[in-house]
Amino acid sequence: MAVRATVTRFPIDSDAQEACGIPWGLTVTPFAAKDENGQAPVYGSDGHLLPRCENCYAYFNTYCELDQWAWNCSLCGTLNGLSSEAIARYSRPQSCAEMMSSFVDLEFPLEGSEEEILHARPVYVAAVDLSSSEEFLELTKSALQAALEALAPESLFGLATFSHKLGLYDVQGPIPVVKNVFIPQDAEGTLPIELEDVMPLLQFLAPVDTCKDRITSALEILRPTTSWERTPPGTGQELDGVLMGGRGFGMAMEALCNYLGSEYGNTFALARVFAFLSGPPDHGPGQLDTRRYGEQYASKGEDADRALLPEQTPFYKDLAAVAVQAGVCVDIFAVTNEYTDLASLKFLSIESGGSLFLYSNTDDSTLPQDMYRMLSRPYAFNCVLRLRTSTEFKPGHFYGHFFPDPQYENVQHIICCDSYATYAYDFEFANNVGFSRHSSEQPMVQIAFQYTVVVPPEELPGSELLSSSRGKHSIKRRLRIRTLQYGTARNLNELYDSVDPEVVLSLLVHKVILASLEEGVREGRMLLHDWLVILTSQYNEAFNLIQYKNGSSSIMGQLDVTFSQCPQLQPLPRLVFALLRNPLLRFHEEGVHPDYRIYVQCLFSALEPSSLHRAIYPVLTSYSTPDKQAYPRHSLSRAALITSGSPIFFLDAYTTLIVFYSSTADPSLPFPPPHDCLLRSTINKLKQERCITPKLIFIRGGQDDASVFENYLIEEQDVNGTGLTSVMGFVSFLEDITQSVLEYMK
């Protein structure tokens, strides 16, 4: 569980918080195996016996004062009695995880019989769009072959297809058999028959270990639905070859969730559905009107940046709730360059605990690699995340792909959570008093994360491997708790020195995404610009860099917009500039596809701060040879390339990795870099650490098209997207901030 705060020294009171201009909050990556310093939790058992505060329900931790019979809560100060069992436990402190570390992971007893627990198996279902091209299906088949290699042998796998009909495949017999149900064309329609009556669920779900070859055979027979089959007979359009629609995605997903839900808690504890989509749903319930994306904005005078971000129907948000109730998590893989309205579809994935992937074409898609990577890493499910604080402050907003508990405040449910998934909170003071100035009473934060994992049989202790359960997965419920103590800043200088700019960026990204969705992209840009203006003016006042002349509004002194006296704030103007140039906040008329914007929103709102930093402001490194690094970091400008004099540059933009050889590089330097060099090993390490597969591009300056690399050199691009200039870009952005600060301070 990695936790990073925007400031490691908290503002002393609400006045200090307002005066500093820095968002106050933190990010948490709850299922990360280690904390932000690389430390693993101390593992233990009997999580249900951990004492809890009678007042605030916080868990006992190493910061609590403990005497023989009682303990003081480190969050609210309440004195709590100890049970006789706890007194006996704590008389042997080295035997209790919670006495050894403030970061613990404790096993929790499960409810239900041992036999039911041991019978649960991982379940995966692929739902493949047949209203597609041969190229799309070939890519999907490759992805599913990769998935079969990554799945545990005891897993159950089901194959379904959808078009104007829903197909269920039985691969447990000698040859694959498909049974189809027609999907009604009407948006209010229902399936004529229950899927359980079409094919019993346990006939549909095949064991991977015994049926892998037959699943592969079933994949090989998948073919696109032809235009002739999709054209309704008798319409007079049978011969024109026009695709008449027939992508009944919404109905197919709803039917599969209900189908799987009948065995939730019995056959499986979590089912994952992989939905492969080649275009917008246009048939039956959940069909989307893609005409809203087009030329009509010019005639209506409508703001496309605002109109294309909200969902056009609540169908998929409601369907996500159905999926959650059925124990189903949906991952959407959209392979399309046509408008598919991911603004409406995204809820089905992110609110059911899944992921949203977008690939603009089949040629260089990393779908198979992403599929294998996603299924190879561990994940937790049925998670509950709870953040508690000491009494002086409280959580304000929460950000991330979870849904709040309808009954309890500050409790979030996460259906499925991997080791990369990150969530954010911001804080506010509970009263006007603020924190105590005595060092004995420091701000406290406690994060509790209760989760379930499926443990393969080889990871179970020998005592748990009953002869009847050998070869079967086991379900474990665990409770991970992290308790942190923070300092307080005595003045603004101390507070600014404790800033973590990457976490500040994370909270800013969450806030501008929220503003964009509610008010439009223009509003998101204004919010970000105004925040930097206010921060800059408050910093200048705090460091007494400017004075007002004789009580008038005219200002004396040199305005500092680069935060030269505070190293921790110096990256922020560049990060804000880069965020304004990012597709997240660029205007529709600049050619940002609305589906790509939605994909970027979903990706960025789940990334941990260091990854998000690279995605917003890529890391540019130079090498003198493929085996020797020259400089670890350059600004993103042509001037930096020219002045460095290095022949090789490596750019890490998180989703894309580019190796660029300058046109003046020595021709004897090997291109592309050899597999056993330092640069290649750096690339391979970065690829291994990513939650998605970055695209790797090699460019030889002067011979290859270098535009994809040059587009990342944003510091010479105008912030409003008016193209490339020689002296504009970041420099003119700082001049604009200077003028805005002067206006603000008048």
Side-chain angles (χ1 to χ4, degrees), residues 683-716:
I683 290 169
N684 292 336
K685 184 173 182 289
L686 289 171
K687 287 171 80 172
Q688 287 300 317
E689 292 169 352
R690 297 280 141 99
C691 65
I692 58 171
T693 310
K695 196 181 291 184
L696 179 59
I697 302 169
F698 296 100
I699 298 173
R700 198 159 202 163
Q703 296 179 31
D704 306 325
D705 178 10
S707 58
V708 66
F709 174 68
E710 289 167 354
N711 287 340
Y712 283 106
L713 304 177
I714 56 173
E715 293 205 6
E716 284 136 347

PDB file of all heavy atoms in Angstrom, residues 683-716:
ATOM      1  N   ILE A 683      14.796   0.056 -21.465  1.00  0.00           N
ATOM      2  CA  ILE A 683      13.481  -0.049 -22.117  1.00  0.00           C
ATOM      3  C   ILE A 683      12.735  -1.274 -21.612  1.00  0.00           C
ATOM      4  O   ILE A 683      11.545  -1.195 -21.254  1.00  0.00           O
ATOM      5  CB  ILE A 683      13.656  -0.100 -23.654  1.00  0.00           C
ATOM      6  CG1 ILE A 683      14.113   1.258 -24.190  1.00  0.00           C
ATOM      7  CG2 ILE A 683      12.351  -0.529 -24.338  1.00  0.00           C
ATOM      8  CD1 ILE A 683      14.572   1.237 -25.642  1.00  0.00           C
ATOM      9  N   ASN A 684      13.416  -2.416 -21.534  1.00  0.00           N
ATOM     10  CA  ASN A 684      12.764  -3.657 -21.096  1.00  0.00           C
ATOM     11  C   ASN A 684      12.282  -3.555 -19.657  1.00  0.00           C
ATOM     12  O   ASN A 684      11.200  -4.036 -19.318  1.00  0.00           O
ATOM     13  CB  ASN A 684      13.721  -4.845 -21.250  1.00  0.00           C
ATOM     14  CG  ASN A 684      13.994  -5.149 -22.711  1.00  0.00           C
ATOM     15  OD1 ASN A 684      13.194  -4.814 -23.587  1.00  0.00           O
ATOM     16  ND2 ASN A 684      15.128  -5.773 -22.997  1.00  0.00           N
ATOM     17  N   LYS A 685      13.078  -2.912 -18.802  1.00  0.00           N
ATOM     18  CA  LYS A 685      12.683  -2.740 -17.399  1.00  0.00           C
ATOM     19  C   LYS A 685      11.425  -1.868 -17.307  1.00  0.00           C
ATOM     20  O   LYS A 685      10.488  -2.177 -16.565  1.00  0.00           O
ATOM     21  CB  LYS A 685      13.841  -2.115 -16.620  1.00  0.00           C
ATOM     22  CG  LYS A 685      13.582  -1.964 -15.122  1.00  0.00           C
ATOM     23  CD  LYS A 685      14.859  -1.504 -14.410  1.00  0.00           C
ATOM     24  CE  LYS A 685      14.650  -1.386 -12.907  1.00  0.00           C
ATOM     25  NZ  LYS A 685      13.793  -0.266 -12.532  1.00  0.00           N
ATOM     26  N   LEU A 686      11.399  -0.763 -18.072  1.00  0.00           N
ATOM     27  CA  LEU A 686      10.232   0.125 -18.058  1.00  0.00           C
ATOM     28  C   LEU A 686       8.982  -0.603 -18.550  1.00  0.00           C
ATOM     29  O   LEU A 686       7.894  -0.450 -17.994  1.00  0.00           O
ATOM     30  CB  LEU A 686      10.496   1.362 -18.926  1.00  0.00           C
ATOM     31  CG  LEU A 686      11.503   2.375 -18.372  1.00  0.00           C
ATOM     32  CD1 LEU A 686      11.831   3.420 -19.423  1.00  0.00           C
ATOM     33  CD2 LEU A 686      10.970   3.046 -17.115  1.00  0.00           C
ATOM     34  N   LYS A 687       9.131  -1.412 -19.603  1.00  0.00           N
ATOM     35  CA  LYS A 687       7.983  -2.147 -20.143  1.00  0.00           C
ATOM     36  C   LYS A 687       7.423  -3.126 -19.111  1.00  0.00           C
ATOM     37  O   LYS A 687       6.212  -3.298 -18.999  1.00  0.00           O
ATOM     38  CB  LYS A 687       8.394  -2.894 -21.428  1.00  0.00           C
ATOM     39  CG  LYS A 687       8.596  -1.962 -22.621  1.00  0.00           C
ATOM     40  CD  LYS A 687       9.194  -2.671 -23.800  1.00  0.00           C
ATOM     41  CE  LYS A 687       8.172  -3.461 -24.574  1.00  0.00           C
ATOM     42  NZ  LYS A 687       8.739  -3.994 -25.838  1.00  0.00           N
ATOM     43  N   GLN A 688       8.326  -3.752 -18.352  1.00  0.00           N
ATOM     44  CA  GLN A 688       7.882  -4.713 -17.331  1.00  0.00           C
ATOM     45  C   GLN A 688       7.098  -4.037 -16.215  1.00  0.00           C
ATOM     46  O   GLN A 688       6.209  -4.634 -15.619  1.00  0.00           O
ATOM     47  CB  GLN A 688       9.101  -5.436 -16.730  1.00  0.00           C
ATOM     48  CG  GLN A 688       9.747  -6.445 -17.648  1.00  0.00           C
ATOM     49  CD  GLN A 688       8.802  -7.555 -18.059  1.00  0.00           C
ATOM     50  OE1 GLN A 688       8.045  -8.082 -17.246  1.00  0.00           O
ATOM     51  NE2 GLN A 688       8.810  -7.894 -19.339  1.00  0.00           N
ATOM     52  N   GLU A 689       7.433  -2.777 -15.926  1.00  0.00           N
ATOM     53  CA  GLU A 689       6.827  -2.081 -14.777  1.00  0.00           C
ATOM     54  C   GLU A 689       5.483  -1.442 -15.110  1.00  0.00           C
ATOM     55  O   GLU A 689       4.805  -0.934 -14.220  1.00  0.00           O
ATOM     56  CB  GLU A 689       7.784  -0.989 -14.280  1.00  0.00           C
ATOM     57  CG  GLU A 689       9.059  -1.533 -13.653  1.00  0.00           C
ATOM     58  CD  GLU A 689      10.104  -0.449 -13.426  1.00  0.00           C
ATOM     59  OE1 GLU A 689       9.879   0.700 -13.898  1.00  0.00           O
ATOM     60  OE2 GLU A 689      11.132  -0.738 -12.792  1.00  0.00           O
ATOM     61  N   ARG A 690       5.073  -1.432 -16.373  1.00  0.00           N
ATOM     62  CA  ARG A 690       3.859  -0.723 -16.790  1.00  0.00           C
ATOM     63  C   ARG A 690       2.607  -1.578 -16.617  1.00  0.00           C
ATOM     64  O   ARG A 690       2.651  -2.797 -16.769  1.00  0.00           O
ATOM     65  CB  ARG A 690       3.951  -0.313 -18.265  1.00  0.00           C
ATOM     66  CG  ARG A 690       5.064   0.661 -18.572  1.00  0.00           C
ATOM     67  CD  ARG A 690       4.681   2.094 -18.210  1.00  0.00           C
ATOM     68  NE  ARG A 690       5.813   2.790 -17.641  1.00  0.00           N
ATOM     69  CZ  ARG A 690       6.603   3.612 -18.302  1.00  0.00           C
ATOM     70  NH1 ARG A 690       6.375   3.866 -19.558  1.00  0.00           N
ATOM     71  NH2 ARG A 690       7.611   4.196 -17.686  1.00  0.00           N
ATOM     72  N   CYS A 691       1.485  -0.900 -16.388  1.00  0.00           N
ATOM     73  CA  CYS A 691       0.211  -1.623 -16.336  1.00  0.00           C
ATOM     74  C   CYS A 691      -0.326  -1.869 -17.744  1.00  0.00           C
ATOM     75  O   CYS A 691      -1.179  -2.729 -17.943  1.00  0.00           O
ATOM     76  CB  CYS A 691      -0.807  -0.874 -15.481  1.00  0.00           C
ATOM     77  SG  CYS A 691      -1.319   0.718 -16.132  1.00  0.00           S
ATOM     78  N   ILE A 692       0.155  -1.097 -18.724  1.00  0.00           N
ATOM     79  CA  ILE A 692      -0.208  -1.339 -20.127  1.00  0.00           C
ATOM     80  C   ILE A 692       1.086  -1.464 -20.924  1.00  0.00           C
ATOM     81  O   ILE A 692       2.142  -1.048 -20.471  1.00  0.00           O
ATOM     82  CB  ILE A 692      -1.077  -0.199 -20.710  1.00  0.00           C
ATOM     83  CG1 ILE A 692      -0.346   1.140 -20.593  1.00  0.00           C
ATOM     84  CG2 ILE A 692      -2.439  -0.140 -20.067  1.00  0.00           C
ATOM     85  CD1 ILE A 692      -1.030   2.262 -21.320  1.00  0.00           C
ATOM     86  N   THR A 693       0.986  -2.051 -22.109  1.00  0.00           N
ATOM     87  CA  THR A 693       2.183  -2.247 -22.933  1.00  0.00           C
ATOM     88  C   THR A 693       2.477  -0.973 -23.715  1.00  0.00           C
ATOM     89  O   THR A 693       1.686  -0.590 -24.580  1.00  0.00           O
ATOM     90  CB  THR A 693       1.970  -3.403 -23.922  1.00  0.00           C
ATOM     91  OG1 THR A 693       1.478  -4.523 -23.205  1.00  0.00           O
ATOM     92  CG2 THR A 693       3.262  -3.755 -24.627  1.00  0.00           C
ATOM     93  N   PRO A 694       3.596  -0.299 -23.424  1.00  0.00           N
ATOM     94  CA  PRO A 694       3.900   0.915 -24.200  1.00  0.00           C
ATOM     95  C   PRO A 694       4.311   0.558 -25.623  1.00  0.00           C
ATOM     96  O   PRO A 694       4.895  -0.501 -25.874  1.00  0.00           O
ATOM     97  CB  PRO A 694       5.054   1.555 -23.426  1.00  0.00           C
ATOM     98  CG  PRO A 694       5.663   0.458 -22.625  1.00  0.00           C
ATOM     99  CD  PRO A 694       4.608  -0.577 -22.397  1.00  0.00           C
ATOM    100  N   LYS A 695       3.980   1.433 -26.539  1.00  0.00           N
ATOM    101  CA  LYS A 695       4.366   1.257 -27.942  1.00  0.00           C
ATOM    102  C   LYS A 695       5.809   1.726 -28.098  1.00  0.00           C
ATOM    103  O   LYS A 695       6.156   2.823 -27.664  1.00  0.00           O
ATOM    104  CB  LYS A 695       3.423   2.087 -28.820  1.00  0.00           C
ATOM    105  CG  LYS A 695       3.448   1.722 -30.293  1.00  0.00           C
ATOM    106  CD  LYS A 695       2.487   2.613 -31.081  1.00  0.00           C
ATOM    107  CE  LYS A 695       1.046   2.308 -30.752  1.00  0.00           C
ATOM    108  NZ  LYS A 695       0.118   3.111 -31.587  1.00  0.00           N
ATOM    109  N   LEU A 696       6.670   0.886 -28.699  1.00  0.00           N
ATOM    110  CA  LEU A 696       8.088   1.211 -28.856  1.00  0.00           C
ATOM    111  C   LEU A 696       8.359   1.621 -30.306  1.00  0.00           C
ATOM    112  O   LEU A 696       8.043   0.883 -31.237  1.00  0.00           O
ATOM    113  CB  LEU A 696       8.950   0.009 -28.468  1.00  0.00           C
ATOM    114  CG  LEU A 696      10.468   0.168 -28.590  1.00  0.00           C
ATOM    115  CD1 LEU A 696      10.976   1.326 -27.732  1.00  0.00           C
ATOM    116  CD2 LEU A 696      11.171  -1.130 -28.192  1.00  0.00           C
ATOM    117  N   ILE A 697       8.933   2.827 -30.476  1.00  0.00           N
ATOM    118  CA  ILE A 697       9.180   3.372 -31.822  1.00  0.00           C
ATOM    119  C   ILE A 697      10.656   3.754 -31.948  1.00  0.00           C
ATOM    120  O   ILE A 697      11.217   4.400 -31.057  1.00  0.00           O
ATOM    121  CB  ILE A 697       8.300   4.621 -32.074  1.00  0.00           C
ATOM    122  CG1 ILE A 697       6.813   4.275 -31.919  1.00  0.00           C
ATOM    123  CG2 ILE A 697       8.558   5.208 -33.462  1.00  0.00           C
ATOM    124  CD1 ILE A 697       5.897   5.497 -31.900  1.00  0.00           C
ATOM    125  N   PHE A 698      11.290   3.350 -33.058  1.00  0.00           N
ATOM    126  CA  PHE A 698      12.673   3.750 -33.357  1.00  0.00           C
ATOM    127  C   PHE A 698      12.648   4.710 -34.543  1.00  0.00           C
ATOM    128  O   PHE A 698      12.028   4.426 -35.562  1.00  0.00           O
ATOM    129  CB  PHE A 698      13.530   2.529 -33.708  1.00  0.00           C
ATOM    130  CG  PHE A 698      13.693   1.561 -32.571  1.00  0.00           C
ATOM    131  CD1 PHE A 698      12.933   0.412 -32.508  1.00  0.00           C
ATOM    132  CD2 PHE A 698      14.601   1.805 -31.556  1.00  0.00           C
ATOM    133  CE1 PHE A 698      13.067  -0.486 -31.460  1.00  0.00           C
ATOM    134  CE2 PHE A 698      14.748   0.918 -30.499  1.00  0.00           C
ATOM    135  CZ  PHE A 698      13.977  -0.226 -30.453  1.00  0.00           C
ATOM    136  N   ILE A 699      13.318   5.853 -34.395  1.00  0.00           N
ATOM    137  CA  ILE A 699      13.323   6.874 -35.457  1.00  0.00           C
ATOM    138  C   ILE A 699      14.757   7.303 -35.738  1.00  0.00           C
ATOM    139  O   ILE A 699      15.520   7.610 -34.808  1.00  0.00           O
ATOM    140  CB  ILE A 699      12.478   8.107 -35.043  1.00  0.00           C
ATOM    141  CG1 ILE A 699      11.011   7.715 -34.812  1.00  0.00           C
ATOM    142  CG2 ILE A 699      12.582   9.213 -36.100  1.00  0.00           C
ATOM    143  CD1 ILE A 699      10.166   8.823 -34.239  1.00  0.00           C
ATOM    144  N   ARG A 700      15.084   7.352 -37.013  1.00  0.00           N
ATOM    145  CA  ARG A 700      16.399   7.848 -37.427  1.00  0.00           C
ATOM    146  C   ARG A 700      16.211   9.228 -38.045  1.00  0.00           C
ATOM    147  O   ARG A 700      15.582   9.357 -39.105  1.00  0.00           O
ATOM    148  CB  ARG A 700      17.014   6.876 -38.432  1.00  0.00           C
ATOM    149  CG  ARG A 700      18.497   7.059 -38.590  1.00  0.00           C
ATOM    150  CD  ARG A 700      19.156   5.805 -39.151  1.00  0.00           C
ATOM    151  NE  ARG A 700      20.572   5.798 -38.812  1.00  0.00           N
ATOM    152  CZ  ARG A 700      21.329   4.724 -38.861  1.00  0.00           C
ATOM    153  NH1 ARG A 700      20.797   3.571 -39.216  1.00  0.00           N
ATOM    154  NH2 ARG A 700      22.603   4.801 -38.560  1.00  0.00           N
ATOM    155  N   GLY A 701      16.679  10.253 -37.362  1.00  0.00           N
ATOM    156  CA  GLY A 701      16.518  11.628 -37.830  1.00  0.00           C
ATOM    157  C   GLY A 701      17.131  11.836 -39.203  1.00  0.00           C
ATOM    158  O   GLY A 701      18.216  11.328 -39.492  1.00  0.00           O
ATOM    159  N   GLY A 702      16.426  12.570 -40.066  1.00  0.00           N
ATOM    160  CA  GLY A 702      16.917  12.828 -41.408  1.00  0.00           C
ATOM    161  C   GLY A 702      16.527  11.769 -42.415  1.00  0.00           C
ATOM    162  O   GLY A 702      16.588  12.001 -43.624  1.00  0.00           O
ATOM    163  N   GLN A 703      16.113  10.578 -41.932  1.00  0.00           N
ATOM    164  CA  GLN A 703      15.702   9.501 -42.838  1.00  0.00           C
ATOM    165  C   GLN A 703      14.243   9.110 -42.625  1.00  0.00           C
ATOM    166  O   GLN A 703      13.492   8.913 -43.573  1.00  0.00           O
ATOM    167  CB  GLN A 703      16.593   8.263 -42.651  1.00  0.00           C
ATOM    168  CG  GLN A 703      18.054   8.514 -43.020  1.00  0.00           C
ATOM    169  CD  GLN A 703      18.901   7.271 -42.809  1.00  0.00           C
ATOM    170  OE1 GLN A 703      18.422   6.155 -42.953  1.00  0.00           O
ATOM    171  NE2 GLN A 703      20.173   7.476 -42.478  1.00  0.00           N
ATOM    172  N   ASP A 704      13.830   8.986 -41.342  1.00  0.00           N
ATOM    173  CA  ASP A 704      12.451   8.600 -41.029  1.00  0.00           C
ATOM    174  C   ASP A 704      11.625   9.846 -40.709  1.00  0.00           C
ATOM    175  O   ASP A 704      12.165  10.908 -40.398  1.00  0.00           O
ATOM    176  CB  ASP A 704      12.418   7.653 -39.819  1.00  0.00           C
ATOM    177  CG  ASP A 704      13.318   6.442 -40.007  1.00  0.00           C
ATOM    178  OD1 ASP A 704      13.417   5.975 -41.154  1.00  0.00           O
ATOM    179  OD2 ASP A 704      13.917   5.977 -39.017  1.00  0.00           O
ATOM    180  N   ASP A 705      10.313   9.674 -40.756  1.00  0.00           N
ATOM    181  CA  ASP A 705       9.407  10.757 -40.348  1.00  0.00           C
ATOM    182  C   ASP A 705       9.523  10.927 -38.831  1.00  0.00           C
ATOM    183  O   ASP A 705       9.214  10.002 -38.069  1.00  0.00           O
ATOM    184  CB  ASP A 705       7.970  10.388 -40.745  1.00  0.00           C
ATOM    185  CG  ASP A 705       6.970  11.459 -40.309  1.00  0.00           C
ATOM    186  OD1 ASP A 705       7.407  12.548 -39.883  1.00  0.00           O
ATOM    187  OD2 ASP A 705       5.755  11.183 -40.369  1.00  0.00           O
ATOM    188  N   ALA A 706       9.971  12.083 -38.399  1.00  0.00           N
ATOM    189  CA  ALA A 706      10.218  12.315 -36.965  1.00  0.00           C
ATOM    190  C   ALA A 706       9.071  13.054 -36.285  1.00  0.00           C
ATOM    191  O   ALA A 706       9.201  13.444 -35.122  1.00  0.00           O
ATOM    192  CB  ALA A 706      11.510  13.100 -36.795  1.00  0.00           C
ATOM    193  N   SER A 707       7.943  13.240 -36.975  1.00  0.00           N
ATOM    194  CA  SER A 707       6.867  14.081 -36.410  1.00  0.00           C
ATOM    195  C   SER A 707       6.322  13.515 -35.099  1.00  0.00           C
ATOM    196  O   SER A 707       5.992  14.274 -34.186  1.00  0.00           O
ATOM    197  CB  SER A 707       5.740  14.256 -37.426  1.00  0.00           C
ATOM    198  OG  SER A 707       5.223  13.000 -37.807  1.00  0.00           O
ATOM    199  N   VAL A 708       6.233  12.182 -34.974  1.00  0.00           N
ATOM    200  CA  VAL A 708       5.686  11.598 -33.742  1.00  0.00           C
ATOM    201  C   VAL A 708       6.577  11.948 -32.542  1.00  0.00           C
ATOM    202  O   VAL A 708       6.079  12.168 -31.431  1.00  0.00           O
ATOM    203  CB  VAL A 708       5.500  10.065 -33.890  1.00  0.00           C
ATOM    204  CG1 VAL A 708       6.827   9.349 -34.045  1.00  0.00           C
ATOM    205  CG2 VAL A 708       4.754   9.484 -32.695  1.00  0.00           C
ATOM    206  N   PHE A 709       7.893  12.048 -32.762  1.00  0.00           N
ATOM    207  CA  PHE A 709       8.818  12.457 -31.701  1.00  0.00           C
ATOM    208  C   PHE A 709       8.729  13.962 -31.466  1.00  0.00           C
ATOM    209  O   PHE A 709       8.643  14.427 -30.317  1.00  0.00           O
ATOM    210  CB  PHE A 709      10.245  12.055 -32.091  1.00  0.00           C
ATOM    211  CG  PHE A 709      11.308  12.542 -31.145  1.00  0.00           C
ATOM    212  CD1 PHE A 709      11.405  12.033 -29.862  1.00  0.00           C
ATOM    213  CD2 PHE A 709      12.225  13.518 -31.536  1.00  0.00           C
ATOM    214  CE1 PHE A 709      12.389  12.481 -28.981  1.00  0.00           C
ATOM    215  CE2 PHE A 709      13.212  13.970 -30.670  1.00  0.00           C
ATOM    216  CZ  PHE A 709      13.295  13.447 -29.390  1.00  0.00           C
ATOM    217  N   GLU A 710       8.701  14.733 -32.545  1.00  0.00           N
ATOM    218  CA  GLU A 710       8.693  16.201 -32.422  1.00  0.00           C
ATOM    219  C   GLU A 710       7.414  16.716 -31.764  1.00  0.00           C
ATOM    220  O   GLU A 710       7.430  17.764 -31.117  1.00  0.00           O
ATOM    221  CB  GLU A 710       8.880  16.832 -33.800  1.00  0.00           C
ATOM    222  CG  GLU A 710      10.303  16.634 -34.333  1.00  0.00           C
ATOM    223  CD  GLU A 710      10.443  16.964 -35.801  1.00  0.00           C
ATOM    224  OE1 GLU A 710       9.401  17.239 -36.450  1.00  0.00           O
ATOM    225  OE2 GLU A 710      11.577  16.943 -36.304  1.00  0.00           O
ATOM    226  N   ASN A 711       6.320  15.974 -31.913  1.00  0.00           N
ATOM    227  CA  ASN A 711       5.064  16.399 -31.276  1.00  0.00           C
ATOM    228  C   ASN A 711       5.157  16.410 -29.755  1.00  0.00           C
ATOM    229  O   ASN A 711       4.378  17.085 -29.083  1.00  0.00           O
ATOM    230  CB  ASN A 711       3.910  15.485 -31.706  1.00  0.00           C
ATOM    231  CG  ASN A 711       3.485  15.742 -33.139  1.00  0.00           C
ATOM    232  OD1 ASN A 711       3.775  16.799 -33.690  1.00  0.00           O
ATOM    233  ND2 ASN A 711       2.815  14.782 -33.750  1.00  0.00           N
ATOM    234  N   TYR A 712       6.091  15.627 -29.208  1.00  0.00           N
ATOM    235  CA  TYR A 712       6.278  15.610 -27.752  1.00  0.00           C
ATOM    236  C   TYR A 712       7.150  16.780 -27.268  1.00  0.00           C
ATOM    237  O   TYR A 712       7.241  17.008 -26.064  1.00  0.00           O
ATOM    238  CB  TYR A 712       6.908  14.290 -27.305  1.00  0.00           C
ATOM    239  CG  TYR A 712       5.933  13.136 -27.276  1.00  0.00           C
ATOM    240  CD1 TYR A 712       5.961  12.147 -28.246  1.00  0.00           C
ATOM    241  CD2 TYR A 712       4.974  13.028 -26.268  1.00  0.00           C
ATOM    242  CE1 TYR A 712       5.068  11.082 -28.224  1.00  0.00           C
ATOM    243  CE2 TYR A 712       4.078  11.974 -26.229  1.00  0.00           C
ATOM    244  CZ  TYR A 712       4.129  11.002 -27.210  1.00  0.00           C
ATOM    245  OH  TYR A 712       3.235   9.960 -27.177  1.00  0.00           O
ATOM    246  N   LEU A 713       7.792  17.498 -28.184  1.00  0.00           N
ATOM    247  CA  LEU A 713       8.633  18.638 -27.792  1.00  0.00           C
ATOM    248  C   LEU A 713       7.729  19.861 -27.628  1.00  0.00           C
ATOM    249  O   LEU A 713       7.703  20.776 -28.440  1.00  0.00           O
ATOM    250  CB  LEU A 713       9.723  18.871 -28.851  1.00  0.00           C
ATOM    251  CG  LEU A 713      10.614  17.651 -29.129  1.00  0.00           C
ATOM    252  CD1 LEU A 713      11.614  17.956 -30.231  1.00  0.00           C
ATOM    253  CD2 LEU A 713      11.334  17.191 -27.858  1.00  0.00           C
ATOM    254  N   ILE A 714       6.988  19.843 -26.531  1.00  0.00           N
ATOM    255  CA  ILE A 714       5.856  20.772 -26.377  1.00  0.00           C
ATOM    256  C   ILE A 714       6.268  22.177 -25.979  1.00  0.00           C
ATOM    257  O   ILE A 714       5.483  23.108 -26.094  1.00  0.00           O
ATOM    258  CB  ILE A 714       4.844  20.235 -25.337  1.00  0.00           C
ATOM    259  CG1 ILE A 714       5.551  19.972 -24.001  1.00  0.00           C
ATOM    260  CG2 ILE A 714       4.140  18.998 -25.856  1.00  0.00           C
ATOM    261  CD1 ILE A 714       4.612  19.610 -22.873  1.00  0.00           C
ATOM    262  N   GLU A 715       7.489  22.360 -25.504  1.00  0.00           N
ATOM    263  CA  GLU A 715       7.833  23.665 -24.933  1.00  0.00           C
ATOM    264  C   GLU A 715       7.934  24.769 -25.971  1.00  0.00           C
ATOM    265  O   GLU A 715       7.985  25.944 -25.619  1.00  0.00           O
ATOM    266  CB  GLU A 715       9.112  23.561 -24.107  1.00  0.00           C
ATOM    267  CG  GLU A 715       8.908  22.705 -22.871  1.00  0.00           C
ATOM    268  CD  GLU A 715       9.870  23.023 -21.749  1.00  0.00           C
ATOM    269  OE1 GLU A 715      10.640  23.992 -21.875  1.00  0.00           O
ATOM    270  OE2 GLU A 715       9.835  22.305 -20.743  1.00  0.00           O
ATOM    271  N   GLU A 716       7.980  24.408 -27.277  1.00  0.00           N
ATOM    272  CA  GLU A 716       7.966  25.430 -28.322  1.00  0.00           C
ATOM    273  C   GLU A 716       6.609  25.501 -29.007  1.00  0.00           C
ATOM    274  O   GLU A 716       6.450  26.166 -30.017  1.00  0.00           O
ATOM    275  CB  GLU A 716       9.081  25.147 -29.337  1.00  0.00           C
ATOM    276  CG  GLU A 716      10.440  25.539 -28.794  1.00  0.00           C
ATOM    277  CD  GLU A 716      11.521  24.507 -29.069  1.00  0.00           C
ATOM    278  OE1 GLU A 716      11.193  23.376 -29.468  1.00  0.00           O
ATOM    279  OE2 GLU A 716      12.682  24.835 -28.874  1.00  0.00           O
TER     280      GLU A 716
END
